[in-house]
Amino acid sequence: MNRQAQAVVLLLLGGSVLKASFTDMYLRYVKEGLRPFLIASGVLLVAVAVMTLLHDLRPRRGADGPDHEPDDHGHDHGGKGHHEPRVGWLLIAPVLGLLLVAPPALGSFAAGQAGTALSSQRADSYPPLPDGDPAKISVLDYASRAIFDGGASLAGRTVQLTGFVAEGPGGEPILARMILSCCAADGRPIKLGMSGNAPVGLPADTWIEVVGGYTDRVMTDPVNGEDIPYLQVESWRQVDPPKQQYG
C-alpha cells in the first residue's frame, strides 16, 4: 500500500470517528465524557491524511526531469513505483464497517459471558435515596445498597430501575446493565434477579423499566461466584433503549 492509499485509509478512519462523535453512536463504544477526545483524534487523523495527500500529489521535478528520484540507496528507478502487497487494502475493511454498519452496544450476550462486577463498585457509605416515589436510581446503585448496605438505605422505599433483560443462571430472566471504566472493551455487567411480578417471555436485550422494593434474597453468579441481589418487582413496562446504555 503506497502513501496515497495509506492517506485514504487515514481519511476514512478520521471521518468515521468524527461521524460517530457528532452523533450518539460513540456512546456505544466509550463513556460520554470522552467525546472531546474522539473529536480531537478524528480531526488530527483527517489533517494528517490531507497533508499526506497534498505532499504526495505535489509535482516533483529533479535534475533529470519529473518523477525521477533516487531511492534510499541512491538508485534512480526512472519513475517506476514498487508493487505493494494488495493485502494491505484489507485495512480498510474495519473502517468501512464502522461507516456502514454500526455494531450495537454491549448487551445480554456480553453480560452472560462475564461475572457481575459489583464487588469492584463497593462504597463505604450510601446517601439517602432521591426524593420521589418511586425513587429513580441505577441498577448499580440498587445492587450496591442491597449487598453492601444490607438494604438499610432501601428500607421502606420503592425504587425504579431501567435495564435490559438477560438470562439468569437457571434460565430465568434477570435485569442487567453494563458499566464501563473507559470503553466497551472493559465493559462489565451488573446483574439483578427479579422476584414477585417479574416479566416472563421477553426476548433477551429487551429494555424494561421496573418498579419494586428491597428483598434480602440473593443468588450466586456461576461465572465468578459473586452475589447477585434480587429486586421484589411490583410492576414493569417495556421501554426504548436509552441514549446512554451504559450506567
Side-chain angles (χ1 to χ4, degrees):
M1 182 181 289
N2 58 29
R3 284 193 300 179
Q4 293 180 24
Q6 293 170 2
V8 171
V9 173
L10 277 179
L11 186 62
L12 289 173
L13 179 59
S16 63
V17 171
L18 289 176
K19 175 189 174 183
S21 301
F22 287 117
T23 64
D24 292 339
M25 187 189 303
Y26 80 100
L27 293 173
R28 303 178 185 182
Y29 314 115
V30 298
K31 299 182 73 172
E32 190 170 9
L34 295 178
R35 185 177 192 176
F37 300 99
L38 283 179
I39 295 174
S41 300
V43 170
L44 182 60
L45 288 172
V46 170
V48 170
V50 171
M51 291 175 64
T52 301
L53 285 173
L54 291 176
H55 179 271
D56 209 49
L57 295 176
R58 184 178 59 188
R60 300 175 183 176
R61 295 185 179 276
D64 298 324
D67 299 326
H68 288 257
E69 293 187 349
D71 62 14
D72 293 338
H73 302 286
H75 301 295
D76 189 347
H77 294 280
K80 296 182 179 179
H82 295 285
H83 293 287
E84 304 292 343
R86 294 182 179 179
V87 71
W89 284 102
L90 292 177
L91 293 172
I92 205 171
V95 178
L96 292 177
L98 183 58
L99 284 171
L100 302 177
V101 181
L106 298 176
S108 61
F109 178 80
Q113 301 303 304
T116 185
L118 187 58
S119 61
S120 63
Q121 306 296 316
R122 182 169 188 164
D124 294 329
S125 61
Y126 296 90
L129 293 175
D131 294 334
D133 187 29
K136 296 181 180 180
I137 61 175
S138 68
V139 172
L140 172 59
D141 193 15
Y142 174 86
S144 297
R145 292 170 185 267
I147 295 296
F148 304 125
D149 191 37
S153 58
L154 297 166
R157 295 295 304 274
T158 303
V159 296
Q160 177 182 304
L161 315 175
T162 302
F164 58 83
V165 175
E167 185 176 308
E172 76 283 3
I174 62 173
L175 187 69
R177 195 79 182 251
M178 301 297 292
I179 59 173
L180 306 181
S181 297
C182 171
C183 57
D186 59 34
R188 297 167 297 168
I190 299 296
K191 306 175 184 179
L192 283 183
M194 293 184 287
S195 58
N197 188 29
V200 293
L202 291 179
D205 293 312
T206 300
W207 282 83
I208 58 174
E209 180 183 275
V210 296
V211 174
Y214 169 73
T215 173
D216 60 2
R217 182 181 175 186
V218 297
M219 63 177 163
T220 301
D221 193 324
V223 180
N224 61 357
E226 297 279 349
D227 287 337
I228 298 176
Y230 271 76
L231 174 73
Q232 184 72 18
V233 179
E234 297 177 2
S235 63
W236 64 272
R237 68 184 183 96
Q238 186 173 338
V239 296
D240 294 329
K243 171 184 174 181
Q244 174 55 274
Q245 297 189 32
Y246 305 121

